[in-house]
Amino acid sequence: MPRAVAPAKTPTVAIARILRGLGLTQGRGGKDFSVTGFYVNGERRHTYVVAYSRHAEEVIAAHADEIEAAANAAGWCFYVSVRYSASGRVHTSVQNAGARVREAQPAVLAVTAA
């Protein structure tokens, strides 16, 4: 019989479970992501995710709405922002502060030799 999973008591645990559930690995040194906090004068203001690989950025971008919904269902509010560089590379931000930004993926320009 499967073991019941206790509800996440902290936002760090909640978002880490969600991202691991998407197949990403947690930790530094060749892993996909880590979860950390933003502190002011020793007080934690918010929690955010650091993505270490392009693969992690792409998975987070592809599942942005699912991540937000799962965090909300777990009792924590996280915003997943998705931005694109001029070259078309995706950059994500996952945090429980501020607001989200969702940019549309830029169209790939076809360059023809003249």
Side-chain angles (χ1 to χ4, degrees), residues 41-60:
N41 295 327
E43 179 183 336
R44 189 177 194 127
R45 295 293 171 100
H46 67 271
T47 302
Y48 64 96
V49 173
V50 178
Y52 294 121
S53 66
R54 181 175 283 190
H55 169 72
E57 297 269 14
E58 291 169 355
V59 169
I60 291 168

Side-chain angles (χ1 to χ4, degrees), residues 35-104:
V35 182
T36 190
F38 177 76
Y39 292 85
V40 175
N41 295 327
E43 179 183 336
R44 189 177 194 127
R45 295 293 171 100
H46 67 271
T47 302
Y48 64 96
V49 173
V50 178
Y52 294 121
S53 66
R54 181 175 283 190
H55 169 72
E57 297 269 14
E58 291 169 355
V59 169
I60 291 168
H63 298 280
D65 290 331
E66 295 170 43
I67 294 168
E68 287 182 352
N72 198 15
W76 304 98
C77 180
F78 274 86
Y79 299 107
V80 181
S81 294
V82 180
R83 297 176 178 90
Y84 293 90
S85 65
S87 66
R89 183 173 178 193
V90 67
H91 299 276
T92 60
S93 169
V94 181
Q95 59 184 356
N96 66 350
R100 75 176 188 176
V101 174
R102 295 281 178 89
E103 293 180 355

